[in-house]
Amino acid sequence: MNSTAHPSTLAHHFDTLEQQRESASLGMWVFLGQEVMFFGGLFLAYLVYRASYPAVFAEASHHLDVVLGGVNTAILIASSLTMALAVYGAQTGKRNMLILFLVATMILGLAFLGIKAVEYHHKYEDKLIPGLGFSYPGPHGRQAQLFFGLYFAMTGMHALHMVIGIALLVWLIKDARTGRFTPDYHSHIENFGLYWHFVDIVWIFLFPLLYLIGLH
Amino acid sequence: MSIFVAPSIPVETQEHYLNNDYGIRSWLLTRDHKRIALLYLASITLFFFLGGFFAVLIRLELLTPQGDMVQAETYNKLFTMHGVIMIFFFLIPSIPATLGNFLVPLMVGAKDLAFPRINLLSWYIYVVGGLFTLGAVLVGGVDTGWTFYTPYSTTYSNGYVIATGVGAFITGFSSILTGLNFIVTIHKMRAPGLTWFRLPLFIWAQYAASIIMILGTPVIAITLVLLALERAFHIGIFDPAFGGDPVLFQHLFWFYSHPAVYIMVLPGMGVISELISCFARKYIFGYHFVAFSSLGIAVLGFLVWGHHLFVSGQSVYAGLIFSILSFLVAIPSAIKVFNWTATLYKGSISYQSPMLYAFGFVGLFTIGGLTGLFLASIGLDVHVHDTYFVVAHFHYIMVGGTLMAYLGGMHFWWPKMTGRMFPEGWAKFSALVVFVGFNLTFLPQFILGYLGMPRRYHAYPEEFQVLNVMSSAGASILGVGYVIPMIYFIWSLKYGALASPNPWGATGLEWRTPSPPPPENFKEIPVVNEGPYEYSIREIKVV
Amino acid sequence: MFSGFPLFPDQASTMAGEVDALYFFLIAITLFFSVLIAGLIVYFAIRYRRRSEVELPEPITGSTKLEALWTVIPFLIVMIIFGWGAKIFFTLSRPPSDAMPIYVTGKQWMWKLQHLEGQREINELHIPVGRAVKLVMSSEDVIHSFYVPAFRVKADVLPGRYTHLWFKATQPGEYHLFCAEYCGTKHSGMIGKVVVMEPADFQAWLSGGPPAESMTARGQRLFQSLACHTCHKSDGTGRGPVLNGVFGKPVALQTGQTAIADDNYLRESILNPGAKVVAGYQPVMPVFQGLINEDALSQILAYLKSLAPQPAVQPGATAVQPAVPPATTQQRRNP
């Protein structure tokens, strides 16, 4: 029995590399299905209140920085491109390409979080964080607080997922540098790519819903 | 005609999953699904008795109409903690995390679940969530009811709402990871020849329950997050003064919590299919219908949450839609009951203790399920909503149903898990005690509910006392019925007769390997070339 | 009547008998199927008990005909039950138009009830037999639920919104009133009684006790003291829409949608006026959230409901007058 019959990358409870790869992939898809439901609850709450108070939500939305939000959107989309290129690098065995693009993805992710931090700081200065001295100009402060509460809950939850993603990227970069990933064995990269794209898609929904209400 | 033959190596000298490694690290760092199942077994049993302890105190208080044993606030904490512990820390993980974890790989002919380390992680997450909640109990507890309705929970309660919510939130991920593991395992790791319709119905049931775990649990997670944010930062999402809607919380909460009851009962139904087929020695009647009913229940279960909101102020039309859907979800359960009963026809029936639990399940689940029809009838629900009628209904399903199935399954697979037999006489006796005690506890509660006694009442009008005393008396008998198996199961670990690979003469891949199984489950991966429950095809000998 | 060992609640309202009929039907179904299943299990378990270790059972796998039978028949049965329950629910949800309104406020941990004539009760509700009564309810704090088992009625009582329930008592007596939604420490103490009286006794009760100012009179005073009348003039010259006759009528909103001016619309218009602005008017009404409690709100509501539509407006007309003098308002004694 030669080593290719049970390669070192094959976990003992799987029979073939193919079974292992398919299981990992299905696992990630199932996990993402769960994530859809998780964010879905937040989106539902948002949609209910936006339908109830469209004018106030539009007005409150104008306090958000569309430019920064737009830049962040571009950054995330670019990071999905770099992630896809990283997967390609893994698939074709180009280790340097893999590492380069994993690092690029991480840098873009960090840039996103940095801009988010700037935005949050502005909101803090403008006293628009519920629970931290919230004070809204105009008569619609109460429903505006609903908007901002949901804004922070949704973007905060998204940012948390970004942080987790970046932490995972650190680990993947570390592993990629040891040559662990080959054309035959790179499920981690592919499945992480799925996760990263999902987090990107969540932002693609968040951005117009939160930032672009009633913009002419 | 093939006959399974017992291995000739004496059991005591075989290597199996319990003796292949020793020491605390071999348990706490195990990747073996069988050991993880036992880790879960220990934890959920602890929580069961804690939740049961709170139930004892509740029933003691309710012996008298006055609230004279504990203060009102304490009583409110007792029923809250009873609910939180029993639901999140016992019922939801019970069958999936113990029997499921142990059996799913064995039943599909695999060496382990798809993700063994995630399996271990799920146990640690459960423990952390459990300790968090236990901590919340110890520092003072929470008094909102396990349903955490706003605005009481967000604005008025003085209890440890956020701490308890965080505990439940954490434990939810344990549920999600278990479901994820089962789905991938069942899809990708079946033995050669094991097609979907050759799978045991226990697997179909676990699969359906896992779908609910994956899709439903995240919604309660985000609901608890919103609850915590509201309580901590008062964003206003459930506060009408800010334009928020307290009833939105109810929709979000029940969107998970209704399907959750199917997470609790579907695995139990899966166990019953295994027990009835084995002890009637017969193919389950209407196998395909039972399998598809499990999926049907999982899907329809997501569409009925609004029946908890019939009197909440939701629109009449929404109420009607939820009412009709709630009737529809009863149909697949009825189909299963008829099929189980039909399986007995011209079977070869023996009365061993697992089968007694199965009989109990079918009878009590039937009653519990039919009383669900009372609640689905929207005009009638107005009267019985939030009364003891509801309490009786769900205890019939959860205790008369799920818990009996769990006990039946524990008795059935105990020899496989531990390599020991338990004393059958005591097991039969306990089954009977549980059945009698259960009915005495909960049947009077239907009457109390229709009379109008509301739930969560610390004190009640005098004329309700006789029925309450009956219920408490039943509870004391029921408690005895649960303590006895604890004793003889532990006793059996040292003194029970050694079990053979297939003491019950059952079909199923888990019985084709020694008791207890070797660490890798099968010396050789089985190849399957027949369907499940082929009792009539060949003689399945007890070996 | 509160003593003894009852096994069934009193039937004290017009709906109680209807609800009970459905209940008994369901009991019959439950008994039938439970006995059927239990009986079959016991019968099969005995008849087909294992007599020898080597016996092989019959290779029966199923029967599509039976599956169809025991799918279709339960389906038909549950559809009947659904329809029956729906019919009862429609009736329970639609108060008769001549129902006598009572305003209820739930708060931790008591029920406050206001009669239109002005009598206020705590944890007790006196009503005449044979008269439809509609409760207009809201909560000052958490969610409660108003439950009278003898009438078979229940509705949650919410903060921020009005909910309703109605009943017509058929039998004089005293009946339990319970709070049926867990609301905190003294939830089980938030109980009381509904006292159903013969009409003559009820009249005597109404006029006995200290003279009470009617709700509409109180509401009118609030309407003045809160300066509502300065904008809501009945001649249409004010900055706010005319409110005479507004109750129950459709209102055209600024957004182009139409709302019906029911209890909750009026409530929202006072507490959060910016939510729905009437077409042709500016959103300048001050927010009264936090400035009016539930009792006062229901009095204003009662007053507004009493304002019949004015004849065609004349320029220079005086401030709003109620259509009927307050002391005799709402004395709708017509059976």
Side-chain angles (χ1 to χ4, degrees), chain A residues 68-79 104-120 151 154-163 166 196 199-204 206-207 211:
Chain A
L68 287 183
V71 167
N72 258 350
T73 307
I75 287 177
L76 266 193
I77 295 178
S79 77
T105 307
M106 187 176 79
I107 290 175
L108 288 168
L110 286 168
F112 176 93
L113 288 176
I115 294 180
K116 221 67 238 100
V118 168
E119 276 190 277
Y120 279 9
Y151 167 79
M154 291 161 85
T155 57
M157 193 54 74
H158 175 263
L160 176 64
H161 282 75
M162 292 282 302
V163 168
I166 291 171
W196 191 260
V199 178
D200 185 11
I201 289 177
V202 171
W203 178 261
I204 307 247
L206 283 184
F207 178 63
Y211 287 79

Side-chain angles (χ1 to χ4, degrees), chain B residues 66-141:
Chain B
Q66 302 82 14
D68 47 8
M69 193 180 97
V70 296
Q71 290 183 333
E73 197 163 311
T74 308
Y75 182 81
N76 297 336
K77 290 179 180 175
L78 287 177
F79 69 69
T80 302
M81 300 316 301
H82 170 71
V84 167
I85 289 177
M86 283 309 204
I87 289 175
F88 292 114
F89 297 97
F90 175 67
L91 283 166
I92 286 179
S94 61
I95 296 176
T98 56
L99 296 172
N101 262 329
F102 196 93
L103 294 166
V104 168
L106 283 166
M107 285 184 173
V108 302
K111 297 199 195 96
D112 205 312
L113 288 175
F115 308 115
R117 282 173 297 185
I118 289 185
N119 198 13
L120 182 66
L121 177 67
S122 81
W123 181 71
Y124 277 106
I125 292 175
Y126 170 86
V127 169
V128 168
L131 288 175
F132 220 95
T133 306
L134 224 53
V137 172
L138 289 172
V139 297

Side-chain angles (χ1 to χ4, degrees), chain C residues 11-30:
Chain C
Q11 281 183 347
S13 77
T14 50
M15 290 307 294
E18 285 195 44
V19 172
D20 289 349
L22 175 55
Y23 179 67
F24 289 127
F25 177 69
L26 281 164
I27 299 256
I29 301 266
T30 305

Side-chain angles (χ1 to χ4, degrees), chain B residues 72-73 76 79 143-145 149-152 156 240-241 245-247 250 278-287 289 310-314 316-317 319-320 323-324 327-328 330-331 334-335 337-339 341-342 344-352 359 362-363 366-367 370-371 373-374 377-387 389 446-447 449-459 461-464 466-467 470 504 535-539 542, chain C residues 1-9 16 19-23 26-27 29-31 33-34 36-38 40-41 44-64 66-68 70-71 74-75 78-79 81-82 85-86 88-90 92-94 108-109 140-143 145 147-161 163 176-191 272 289:
Chain B
E73 197 163 311
N76 297 336
F79 69 69
D143 68 337
T144 57
Y149 274 16
T150 59
Y152 181 71
Y156 293 83
D245 185 357
V247 180
Q250 294 181 34
C278 171
F279 293 100
R281 226 165 242 178
K282 213 153 151 292
Y283 188 82
I284 288 283
F285 193 96
Y287 168 95
F289 285 89
F310 280 155
V311 300
S312 67
Q314 87 180 347
V316 169
Y317 298 103
L320 291 174
S323 173
I324 202 170
F327 281 109
L328 290 184
I331 305 283
I335 292 175
V337 169
F338 292 128
N339 276 299
T341 309
L344 299 175
Y345 175 71
K346 292 201 175 165
S348 167
I349 301 173
S350 76
Y351 307 131
Q352 281 134 308
F359 285 153
V362 177
T366 300
I367 296 176
L370 287 169
T371 55
L373 297 181
F374 290 65
S377 321
I378 187 169
L380 179 53
D381 182 71
V382 169
H383 177 58
V384 289
H385 169 80
D386 252 335
T387 65
F389 194 94
F446 284 120
I447 305 177
Y450 205 77
L451 276 170
M453 178 168 170
R455 290 172 73 164
R456 300 171 166 174
Y457 261 39
H458 175 220
E462 271 185 30
E463 70 260 33
F464 295 151
V466 174
L467 290 165
M470 277 174 68
W504 311 113
Y535 291 99
S536 308
I537 305 296
R538 56 185 171 87
E539 193 188 333
V542 171
Chain C
M1 64 133 319
F2 286 152
S3 62
F5 175 20
L7 287 172
F8 199 76
V19 172
D20 289 349
L22 175 55
Y23 179 67
L26 281 164
I27 299 256
I29 301 266
T30 305
L31 271 173
F33 281 105
S34 309
L36 175 71
I37 297 292
L40 281 173
I41 290 178
F44 288 154
I46 298 175
R47 168 96 168 74
Y48 299 109
R49 66 187 178 282
R50 189 170 305 168
R51 292 173 176 83
S52 120
E53 280 306 315
V54 300
E55 67 189 21
L56 276 185
E58 287 228 9
I60 305 173
T61 54
S63 153
T64 314
L66 268 180
E67 300 287 348
W70 62 47
T71 305
F75 175 75
V78 300
M79 285 299 110
I81 301 171
F82 164 71
I88 293 177
F89 189 65
F90 270 122
L92 286 171
S93 309
R94 294 189 169 146
Q108 287 173 323
W109 288 280
E140 277 183 22
D141 38 43
V142 299
I143 300 181
S145 192
Y147 178 37
V148 185
F151 298 165
R152 313 288 188 272
V153 293
K154 178 189 292 114
D156 280 2
V157 177
L158 308 174
R161 252 182 73 187
T163 53
H176 285 300
L177 157 62
F178 294 128
C179 174
E181 183 57 61
Y182 175 70
C183 55
T185 310
K186 293 212 186 73
H187 167 59
S188 45
M190 194 163 159
I191 64 177
N272 182 22
Q289 177 77 49

